[in-house]
DNA sequence: TCTATTTAAGAGTAATTTGTCTTAAATATA
DNA sequence: TATATTTAAGACAAATTACTCTTAAATAGA
C-alpha cells in the first residue's frame, strides 16, 4: 500500500474541511459520520495534524477542528508527511538503509525518479485544488459514494 | 512502504539467482547467508515463487532453487505480483474500492498515471538487466554492502 | 456556576505482517 | 539401503498497524 490507512483517512478528512472552509470549527463526529470512519480512530489521526499545526482544534460545544491556514496553502504532501512521515519519499525500494548515499541499489535510478514524481505530484497539489475538483466533478471520497459535497 | 518486506527479499534473492544463472540449483541457505535474510523466512517467500512457477526447487543434497526460465524473461513485475499481488497497481490512492470504475476519487487521474509508470518501470525491467547493472556498477543489495557479485 | 458537548490522552483489543522453530518429505550419494 | 542434506509445511511468537473504549480536560451557553 502506498499510503497507510491513517494517512488516507487524514487526507479524506482534510479534503472535506477544505471543501467548506468558512472559519468555523467542524466537529470530528460530523467528519467521521460523513466519511464513514471510526470516530475515535479519526480523532487520533487528526490529533497528529494539530500537533504539527496543520489544524487547530477547540474543545467543548461549538468545538471541533479546522485547517490552520487556507486549504490552498496546504499540500497533499504536508498531510502525507505529517501522518506517514518521509519514508515513502526517501526510502530505498529494496529497503536498504541510506538510499542513495554511498552505494545505491540496482533499482535506485528508476525508483528515485518515480519517487520524485510522486513527491512532485503531492507537493504541487493543494487540498483546495483537490476539493474543488471533487466538488465540481462530483467525485468520490467514501466507499459507498453516498457522500455529497454540499 | 511501496513493497512489502517479503517482496523486497524475493527481489533480492531472484536478482542474485539471475546474476549467476548456470542451470545449477542454489541452496536457500546460501542465498539467505549472502543476503543476510532469515533462512526460514526466505524459504517461505521463495515457496510463493515456485508455486507460480517462476522458480523450480529440488530437495536433498545438491538441491536448492533456480529460476524456471532465463532471468531475461522474468520481470521485476512478475516477482512483485507473485508476492504482493496486484494491489499496488490497481488500488485507489484513497483506499476506495473499485478504483476508476463508476466514480473515481479526486486523486485518481494523478495517481493512475503515476501508478502506470510504476508498472511500466517494473514490467520493462528484467532480473538479468538489474543483475547485470548491479554487477557492472558494483551496486548494493544488502544493508551492509558487504555482498559481492562474484 | 452548572451542564452538556467536544477534543485529548492513554489503555486495551484485533488483525496483519514479519519472523522463528519444529517436523515431514524428498533425494543425492556413499 | 542408510545417511546426510535440503525444501515443504505448518504451528507458533513478535512486531506493527488498525481500531475500540474509557476517562480526563476544556469550554460554550444556560
Ligand atoms: S538505494 Fe535503493 S532506491 Fe536508492
Ligand atoms: S479511484 Fe482513487 S485512485 Fe482511482
Amino acid at each position: 500500500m502506498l499510503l497507510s490507512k491513517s494517512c488516507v483517512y487524514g487526507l479524506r478528512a482534510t479534503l472535506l474541511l477544505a471543501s467548506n472552509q468558512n472559519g468555523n470549527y467542524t466537529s470530528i463526529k460530523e467528519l467521521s459520520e460523513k466519511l464513514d470512519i471510526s470516530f475515535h480512530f479519526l480523532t487520533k489521526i487528526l490529533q497528529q495534524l494539530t500537533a504539527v499545526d496543520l489544524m487547530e482544534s477547540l474543545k467543548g460545544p461549538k468545538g471541533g477542528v479546522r485547517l490552520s491556514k487556507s486549504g490552498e496553502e496546504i499540500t497533499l504532501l504536508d498531510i502525507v508527511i505529517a501522518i506517514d512521515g518521509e519514508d515513502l519519499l526517501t526510502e530505498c525500494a529494496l529497503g536498504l538503509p541510506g538510499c542513495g548515499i554511498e552505494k545505491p541499489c540496482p533499482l535506485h535510478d528508476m525508483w528515485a525518479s518515480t519517487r520524485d514524481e510522486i513527491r512532485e505530484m503531492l507537493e504541487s497539489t493543494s487540498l483546495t485544488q483537490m476539493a474543488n475538483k471533487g466538488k465540481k466533478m462530483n467525485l468520490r471520497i467514501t466507499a459507498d459514494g453516498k457522500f455529497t459535497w454540499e
Side-chain angles (χ1 to χ4, degrees), chain A:
Chain A
M1 202 178 353
L2 192 76
L3 306 173
S4 72
K5 283 209 153 193
S6 293
C7 187
V8 157
Y9 292 165
L11 281 170
R12 290 199 219 160
T14 48
L15 282 175
L16 185 44
L17 287 174
S19 80
N20 48 359
Q21 199 175 16
N22 54 12
N24 294 334
Y25 288 94
T26 304
S27 81
I28 301 180
K29 192 99 201 303
E30 183 184 334
L31 292 174
S32 74
E33 282 169 358
K34 283 196 179 163
L35 296 172
D36 205 35
I37 301 172
S38 145
F39 165 72
H40 289 289
F41 193 35
L42 184 58
T43 298
K44 280 217 150 353
I45 294 162
L46 297 187
Q47 277 170 17
Q48 300 180 66
L49 298 180
T50 63
V52 296
D53 291 318
L54 284 168
M55 288 200 347
E56 302 171 328
S57 70
L58 179 67
K59 293 179 184 174
K62 297 277 176 187
V65 294
R66 69 181 180 200
L67 300 177
S68 62
K69 47 188 171 181
S70 162
E72 304 186 35
E73 299 173 72
I74 302 179
T75 68
L76 300 185
L77 187 67
D78 292 327
I79 307 294
V80 169
I81 287 180
I83 298 177
D84 276 354
E86 297 251 18
D87 283 6
L88 173 66
L89 304 150
T90 56
E91 272 194 346
C92 167
L94 287 187
L96 305 178
C99 167
I101 54 176
E102 207 170 341
K103 245 193 219 178
C105 79
L107 276 73
H108 182 79
D109 296 348
M110 288 187 340
W111 170 235
S113 91
T114 304
R115 204 176 53 183
D116 286 349
E117 203 172 298
I118 294 176
R119 176 189 285 272
E120 172 61 22
M121 160 183 121
L122 295 173
E123 197 167 24
S124 65
T125 309
S126 71
L127 290 179
T128 302
Q129 262 176 272
M130 277 296 95
N132 285 344
K133 181 174 179 180
K135 219 183 261 190
K136 188 189 286 184
M137 306 176 68
N138 191 29
L139 303 176
R140 183 170 65 133
I141 60 173
T142 61
D144 55 22
K146 280 185 202 135
F147 169 84
T148 53
W149 306 84
E150 49 211 75

